[in-house]
Amino acid sequence: MTFEPEQLGQSAQELAATLRKLRKQAGLSGDRLAARCNMSQSKVSRIESGKVRPSLVDIERILRALDAPPALVAEVSALARIAATEWQDARSMRRKGLHKKQLELAGLEASSTEFRFFLLSMLTALLSTPEYIRASLAHIPGDHSKAVARKLERQEVLYDRRKRFTFIITEQAARSPFVSPDAMAVQLDRLASLTHLPNVRLGVLPIETRLPGCPLNTFTVYDERLATVETTAGVMVFCDPRDVRMYLDEFAGYDERALFGEAARERLAEWATAFRS
């Protein structure tokens, strides 16, 4: 299914309007539909007004109650999948201020307990030294002091024992020289030190590792409810359980092949030594 990026901002309301229209075409009141779905009338009303995003189960129950034909079920299900996807383009994020994106991420981190980061080409701010963070923003015009400060503040979440983190880092991400050799060595030392945190699993994928597939993007999965995928042009946010499961499965394949613990520390030390020499 193809779509324009603008659809990702409109599809939730379109889905709500479609479900409302189908109910009226079936000659059912909100109360009668709610009774058929074993759902509260207030929830039906919030779904039809777009105030609540229905789950796939909710949509299935509503369409079954409306005795919708298979073709219509497929069409509405596809619309629901788009409604569960958000597009954040890089240009808009820069116009709004990169520090505001950091506040959004901090909120997401506060509301989640388990995090899975797959880092393909560079490190996330949670793991980065101040020098690395500043270098990662150097290609973007403007003053980024607020964004750097917010990125460093977010690192405090790593020390919250109630939260669990797994970072899988490719050799490319770990060794790409965003800063001077000495600063890269310090950055690798920081990665090694973080492996000692009891709630952090940090694994590396050396270049010679045979992977189960071909990784295309950096991505993060928050609990099992949301996945964000980074592209050159922006960030895709997936809430549809089928999409989130796809990234969980991909992550599991890398997790099985990554080096953790002492093996990871040894490899990081080798790379740091190479930079120092």
Side-chain angles (χ1 to χ4, degrees):
M1 182 173 192
T2 60
F3 54 85
E4 296 298 324
E6 291 77 11
Q7 283 182 264
L8 299 180
Q10 301 169 356
S11 53
Q13 287 300 322
E14 186 180 346
L15 175 63
T18 298
L19 293 173
R20 183 169 62 250
K21 178 181 177 182
L22 292 174
R23 173 181 61 77
K24 291 181 177 180
Q25 287 177 346
L28 293 177
S29 65
D31 287 335
R32 288 183 62 193
L33 176 61
R36 287 191 180 188
C37 297
N38 194 25
M39 189 182 294
S40 70
Q41 190 278 329
S42 61
K43 182 174 182 177
V44 170
S45 176
R46 292 197 299 273
I47 288 173
E48 291 188 354
S49 64
K51 294 179 180 178
V52 168
R53 177 185 291 162
S55 68
L56 294 176
V57 173
D58 292 335
I59 292 170
E60 182 183 352
R61 288 161 64 187
I62 290 171
L63 294 176
R64 190 187 307 123
L66 295 174
D67 197 24
L72 183 57
V73 171
E75 180 181 337
V76 175
S77 296
L79 182 59
R81 195 165 195 170
I82 297 176
T85 305
E86 178 185 340
W87 168 247
Q88 300 176 348
D89 73 271
R91 292 187 300 275
S92 295
M93 287 189 284
R94 291 171 187 174
R95 283 197 301 270
K96 293 176 183 176
L98 295 178
H99 63 287
K100 293 184 178 179
K101 177 63 178 177
Q102 298 308 307
L103 294 174
E104 177 187 321
L105 289 171
L108 194 51
E109 289 156 2
S111 64
S112 305
T113 57
E114 185 165 4
F115 306 81
R116 298 171 178 87
F117 290 79
F118 175 68
L119 306 173
L120 177 63
S121 57
M122 66 181 298
L123 302 176
T124 174
L126 291 182
L127 304 177
S128 300
T129 62
E131 291 82 0
Y132 191 100
I133 290 174
R134 284 191 286 271
S136 71
L137 298 173
H139 66 289
I140 304 173
D143 177 12
H144 302 305
S145 55
K146 287 184 179 179
V148 172
R150 294 284 184 269
K151 284 174 180 277
L152 291 172
E153 287 173 8
R154 284 176 49 219
Q155 294 180 357
E156 295 178 11
V157 75
L158 293 175
Y159 302 93
D160 185 342
R161 298 286 185 91
R162 296 168 300 177
K163 300 181 185 292
R164 300 184 302 278
F165 298 85
T166 302
F167 298 93
I168 297 180
I169 307 169
T170 67
E171 182 172 345
Q172 178 187 355
R175 301 186 69 179
S176 291
F178 282 93
V179 290
S180 69
D182 286 341
M184 280 301 303
V186 171
Q187 174 62 76
L188 291 166
D189 290 344
R190 171 170 168 75
L191 296 181
S193 70
L194 291 172
T195 65
H196 294 287
L197 289 177
N199 59 323
V200 173
R201 294 176 69 239
L202 190 150
V204 296
L205 286 170
I207 195 70
E208 67 270 16
T209 307
R210 186 168 184 174
L211 299 178
C214 179
L216 298 175
N217 300 95
T218 285
F219 64 87
T220 307
V221 182
Y222 297 86
D223 296 324
E224 295 187 358
R225 62 187 174 87
L226 183 149
T228 63
V229 181
E230 299 181 28
T231 73
T232 302
V235 178
M236 296 286 288
V237 182
F238 296 97
C239 299
D240 188 299
R242 295 167 294 184
D243 296 324
V244 176
R245 172 50 54 188
M246 182 182 69
Y247 284 103
L248 285 169
D249 291 344
E250 182 177 348
F251 190 89
Y254 304 143
D255 191 294
E256 290 177 358
R257 292 160 175 80
L259 302 178
F260 289 93
E262 189 58 36
R265 287 189 286 271
E266 288 178 0
R267 192 58 66 101
L268 290 167
E270 289 176 13
W271 298 339
T273 299
F275 276 113
R276 289 191 169 95
S277 64

